[in-house]
Amino acid sequence: MKTSHRMTGAALAVLAMAALTSCGSSSEPAADGTTTLKFLVDNSQATVDTAKALADAFMQANPTIKIETETRPGGSEGDNIVKTRLSTGDMSDVFWYNSGSLLQALNPSQTMVDLTGDPVLQHVQKDFLPVVSQDGKVYGVPAGTAMGGGILYNRKVYEQLKLEVPKTWADFMANNDKIKAAGIAPVIGTFKDTWTSQLFVLGDYYNVQAAVPSFAQDYTANKSKFAATPAARAGFDHLAEVHAKGYMQEGFGSATNDQGMKMLVEGKGAHYPMLSAQLPPLVATMPQAATDVGFFGIPGTDAAKNGATIWEPAGIYIPKTSENVDAAKKFLAFIASPAGAEATNKAVQPAGPFRITGAKLPEDAIQVAKDLQVYVDEGRTAPALEFVSPVKGPSLEQITVAVGSGLTPPAEGAAQYDKDVEKQAKQLGLAGW
Amino acid sequence: MTKQDAGPRTGPGPAPGPGHARASRRRRDSAYPYALYLPAAVVFVVIFLVPTAMAFYFALTRWTLFDSTFVGLDNFRDFLAEQNLRIGFQNTIIYAVVTSGLKVVLGLLLGVLLTSRLRLRGFLRSVVFFPTLVSTVAVGITFAMLLKPQTGLVNQALALVGVDGRDWLGDATTALLSVALVDVWKGVGLATVIYIAGIMSIPREYYQAVAVDGGGAWHRFRHVTLPLSWPATYSVIILSFIGGLRSFDLIWTMTRGGPGFTSDTIASIIYKQYQAGFFGLSTAGNVILFLVVTVIAVPLNYYLGKRQVAA
């Protein structure tokens, strides 16, 4: 029967992957005294460009160390490749991977080189360290910049319709009304790429934290629930409300992230709940993306408590199995220095503030980064929930698509997500679930 | 190689009576010495049996690839408590029934058409069979493009005749059926080939008998082709039904189970667990799918097989 083949196939794939990848791992110092470091990054354009810029600048300063960049797919496919390579002892000398809850799933204390107290970290901002730590030990340095998760908006549309950046959800909906009347899609939905549907919920965390400061702690300890906390449920309510009012463009169900960004930059849609990191790669082909698109945090109920949710940068880590730890540490120290930030700036427009002391946004930074920097400077930011809690259910993106398409009522969506979270916590073996 | 000398002895030996030693039983039963089975057996054990047994074990653990903790039947309980599992089961059955039903009907019709005296018969046969040769993933991606709401070719063609097409894959009411129809498009070629073989093997005498009795085309179809191509129908139903139960690649490339959970099947639910890194849980799902397919396919096979004898 074919089914058993599927199962054995999965097991085989793991074996085959282990066998294949083990061919390319050994990296011993060459006869001429140069060391070669392998550097694994995900294959998104921004990451690849950043990684290449960092490697080139580093090699120029350190001619005895050579860096070879390898790429892997992003998303959960990439997660599984990273997990497989770590668990088979076959990880490259340096690798780029998420910080926050996804990092916890890699068992850093077993698999990665501990950097606590190492000079590598001397320029890294203290606020960043928790998202690359486990049990108080630090395992990584920040890769690139932080980004904002909130609403990207077309400033030309705002100018034309004489709108103001909303401070409350009610203001936001009033703006949407006017935009719709002008014949422009008020909110862009791109549910073909399901992950993009989560922003109304995940980007709302600043408001959740403002209303219930202990939410993350209670939530991790299985004491708070999305469905039972009105402030947390608001994200689902917003999503349902936007759909119910018909604010999304036609064909939102099969639109992709790329199409959504294009709509926004071209002014065919006014708002797009999205991450600011989606913009820098567009600047090359659509220069107006740098100036015409701005950012604001998802508005909450209270105009006085307005703020934005921040996604911390990914981390760069060294696996325990690396044979070139000293060279790798040198590279990490360079990445986490103002010089590294400068090299990054040259290759990719920053999407938000750096997490490195002494690193600054360039003068010609894109508008979203400047908007975000204002929130940061005024201290009106909170990290997204996935950076302060290891608990994040894997099905949120499907649930938010269902709520945002009007298939599931928001309260039910929140309850479904609570169940999803419970399953994840059990699979992680967290205490108290 | 202790069994090497067994080779020459096995072939010609006359059948000894019952109750002999094992060596002579072997000589009687097998045409080849067992040593010849060894390479195949090793391959089978190492790459099929061992992973299958491992899968049954890992289904009972919380498994992160780094380590595994034995948790008993927890994974099975959690998988069965999966909130979209009911939709998944429902969709899987709908999908399997719709695709295998349409493949039988269309396959039979095309089979009859392509065994008749048609001028372009050879060409049409290749046209019908062609989609079977294309990779499922490629078909999925292609049709996802064709079915786009504004820019897709399907809706543009519909607009020409004045029909306002919808967002086929982004709309919860049409997503699953759209995928099922693409599956039929892709799979009907194989069904047709099976039917062509089945129809060709029907002896001409039956048709001549119908002609003698003055029957027309409908009688030929109703009383000869339809009943006597039952073995073909049987194969098509079994193959496409099991295929439908395990359906994954098309669904994944076209809708990823969406919008929301509306076109999820059991296989896509399992894959999502794997994606989330819940390896034990997804393995438990696979074991359940294995059992479900067995529970449905074995009786179906038995029932259809019995009818075949009766026909």
Side-chain angles (χ1 to χ4, degrees):
Chain A
M1 200 142 298
K2 281 270 170 68
T3 321
S4 60
H5 293 197
R6 183 189 290 279
M7 286 191 296
T8 53
L12 259 185
V14 172
L15 284 176
M17 206 188 300
L20 284 176
T21 48
S22 64
C23 300
S25 67
S26 73
S27 48
E28 279 152 31
D32 57 355
T34 61
T35 313
T36 305
L37 288 180
K38 304 248 180 183
F39 182 22
L40 182 71
V41 301
D42 72 77
N43 60 5
S44 74
Q45 197 55 49
T47 310
V48 172
D49 291 350
T50 309
K52 203 171 164 307
L54 284 170
D56 287 346
F58 177 74
M59 284 192 285
Q60 225 162 31
N62 297 275
T64 57
I65 301 175
K66 214 172 144 256
I67 294 174
E68 284 174 14
T69 314
E70 299 172 52
T71 58
R72 60 166 173 86
S76 40
E77 203 180 329
D79 296 346
N80 286 334
I81 287 175
V82 169
K83 279 183 200 164
T84 312
R85 291 191 62 172
L86 276 174
S87 65
T88 52
D90 185 48
M91 183 44 92
S92 57
D93 300 293
V94 180
F95 68 102
W96 175 312
Y97 192 71
N98 298 59
S99 53
S101 67
L102 281 172
L103 170 69
Q104 304 301 322
L106 296 187
N107 271 9
S109 55
Q110 269 179 39
T111 54
M112 294 180 199
V113 173
D114 180 6
L115 301 175
T116 322
D118 199 283
V120 164
L121 299 173
Q122 65 179 6
H123 295 290
V124 179
Q125 287 176 6
K126 296 276 170 294
D127 309 348
F128 174 75
L129 296 179
V131 306
V132 287
S133 300
Q134 193 179 47
D135 301 330
K137 290 196 174 140
V138 185
Y139 297 97
V141 299
T145 62
M147 52 185 161
I151 298 192
L152 302 181
Y153 71 105
N154 188 300
R155 299 168 74 218
K156 283 271 160 67
V157 172
Y158 262 57
E159 221 168 88
Q160 196 190 323
L161 301 176
K162 299 192 175 57
L163 300 175
E164 267 182 44
V165 170
K167 289 248 160 84
T168 66
W169 184 257
D171 292 347
F172 176 65
M173 291 308 268
N175 279 358
N176 281 336
D177 223 16
K178 287 178 198 150
I179 295 165
K180 193 178 181 187
I184 298 170
V187 178
I188 300 170
T190 52
F191 291 174
K192 163 100 190 191
D193 289 325
T194 44
W195 66 268
T196 63
S197 67
Q198 306 173 87
L199 265 292
F200 269 130
V201 174
L202 296 179
D204 201 36
Y205 185 66
Y206 177 85
N207 297 317
V208 179
Q209 204 191 40
V212 192
S214 65
F215 183 75
Q217 239 179 330
D218 295 347
Y219 172 71
T220 310
N222 194 14
K223 285 179 195 150
S224 280
K225 295 280 168 203
F226 266 85
T229 313
R233 218 188 71 188
F236 291 92
D237 294 336
H238 291 165
L239 197 55
E241 198 183 341
V242 165
H243 177 265
K245 292 243 166 95
Y247 284 156
M248 273 188 276
Q249 87 278 19
E250 210 180 305
F252 64 85
S254 51
T256 61
N257 181 222
D258 287 346
Q259 290 169 339
M261 288 306 298
K262 196 156 172 272
M263 273 186 78
L264 176 73
V265 175
E266 288 173 351
K268 288 180 186 155
H271 298 126
Y272 189 16
M274 207 2 76
L275 297 169
S276 64
Q278 297 297 311
L279 275 166
L282 295 181
V283 174
T285 48
M286 292 188 273
Q288 75 269 36
T291 50
D292 289 3
V293 177
F295 170 88
F296 59 84
I298 292 180
T301 43
D302 187 352
K305 285 187 185 170
N306 182 259
T309 307
I310 296 259
W311 264 252
E312 292 291 353
I316 293 181
Y317 312 93
I318 309 174
K320 268 198 179 135
T321 48
S322 168
E323 285 161 12
N324 303 308
V325 173
D326 288 337
K329 277 190 177 172
K330 255 190 198 165
F331 184 41
L332 258 60
F334 174 75
I335 294 170
S337 70
E342 211 169 295
T344 311
N345 273 344
K346 276 185 196 144
V348 180
Q349 281 282 0
F354 280 97
R355 283 305 194 197
I356 295 162
T357 322
K360 276 200 185 119
L361 288 182
E363 288 296 312
D364 60 343
I366 59 174
Q367 185 62 38
V368 282
K370 287 183 189 160
D371 287 350
L372 194 57
Q373 188 73 53
V374 175
Y375 284 102
V376 173
D377 292 345
E378 292 174 3
R380 291 187 287 132
T381 61
L385 184 56
E386 62 201 86
F387 294 102
V388 283
S389 169
V391 186
K392 176 164 187 285
S395 302
L396 179 61
E397 47 194 271
Q398 280 91 29
I399 295 170
T400 45
V401 165
V403 173
S405 312
L407 301 169
T408 311
E412 201 179 305
Q416 282 179 355
Y417 184 52
D418 285 331
K419 276 185 85 176
D420 191 46
V421 159
E422 187 182 332
K423 179 178 78 180
Q424 189 244 10
K426 276 186 187 162
Q427 287 289 325
L428 287 181
L430 296 182
W433 290 77
Chain B
M1 281 275 131
T2 51
K3 286 173 188 156
Q4 243 171 3
D5 61 338
R9 278 194 284 130
T10 44
H20 268 245
R22 271 172 80 196
S24 50
R25 282 247 301 263
R26 184 171 71 221
R27 218 186 313 161
R28 182 197 57 187
D29 291 335
S30 62
Y32 300 102
Y34 281 163
L36 285 186
Y37 291 123
L38 204 63
V42 167
V43 168
F44 182 74
V45 168
V46 170
I47 69 177
F48 291 107
L49 280 189
V50 170
T52 309
M54 276 166 65
F56 276 89
Y57 167 72
F58 279 120
L60 302 173
T61 65
R62 193 165 60 223
W63 181 27
T64 61
L65 286 191
F66 299 105
D67 46 24
S68 61
T69 337
F70 187 83
V71 294
L73 292 175
D74 278 10
N75 283 330
F76 287 89
R77 195 196 57 208
D78 288 350
F79 189 81
L80 291 173
E82 187 65 27
Q83 37 201 350
N84 46 343
L85 194 68
R86 209 172 56 88
I87 304 178
F89 261 110
Q90 228 171 346
N91 282 343
T92 307
I93 299 288
I94 292 175
Y95 191 88
V97 169
V98 167
T99 53
S100 60
L102 282 176
K103 279 178 196 171
V104 167
V105 173
L106 294 175
L108 179 58
L109 291 180
L110 286 169
V112 171
L113 186 73
L114 295 179
T115 46
S116 62
R117 283 193 206 86
L118 224 59
R119 266 180 60 203
L120 289 172
R121 196 170 66 181
F123 172 71
L124 287 177
R125 280 187 189 179
S126 5
V127 167
V128 170
F129 191 66
F130 166 72
T132 316
L133 304 174
V134 187
S135 132
T136 313
V137 173
V139 170
I141 294 172
T142 311
F143 271 90
M145 297 298 288
L146 295 179
L147 290 171
K148 282 196 169 181
Q150 274 105 33
T151 50
L153 211 57
V154 171
N155 277 1
Q156 282 182 352
L158 286 176
L160 283 184
V161 293
V163 178
D164 202 7
R166 35 200 326 179
D167 188 355
W168 300 105
L169 297 174
D171 188 326
T173 49
T174 53
L176 184 71
L177 284 181
S178 305
V179 180
L181 289 181
V182 175
D183 189 316
V184 171
W185 176 82
K186 181 173 157 41
V188 79
L190 197 63
T192 308
V193 168
I194 295 174
Y195 268 115
I196 289 177
I199 292 170
M200 301 278 267
S201 69
I202 299 172
R204 309 308 307 164
E205 287 80 7
Y206 292 109
Y207 291 109
Q208 284 158 7
V210 174
V212 167
D213 289 345
W218 169 248
H219 285 90
R220 281 203 300 277
F221 175 73
R222 173 70 188 80
H223 297 289
V224 181
T225 312
L226 191 60
L228 290 183
S229 60
W230 176 253
T233 309
Y234 163 75
S235 315
V236 171
I237 292 179
I238 287 286
L239 281 178
S240 53
F241 198 76
I242 294 177
L245 288 178
R246 301 183 307 105
S247 57
F248 169 73
D249 24 22
L250 259 192
I251 297 241
W252 196 252
T253 45
M254 291 178 73
T255 67
R256 297 190 181 244
F261 303 99
T262 46
S263 64
D264 255 330
T265 60
I266 304 181
S268 70
I269 294 173
I270 292 170
Y271 187 73
K272 282 184 196 163
Q273 312 303 326
Y274 162 75
Q275 265 199 324
F278 306 158
F279 302 105
L281 188 64
S282 73
T283 312
N286 265 325
V287 170
I288 291 175
L289 177 60
F290 173 80
L291 296 177
V292 167
V293 174
T294 313
V295 162
I296 295 179
V298 168
L300 185 70
N301 197 11
Y302 174 75
Y303 169 74
L304 294 178
K306 237 173 48 182
R307 279 203 54 181
Q308 183 182 6
V309 175

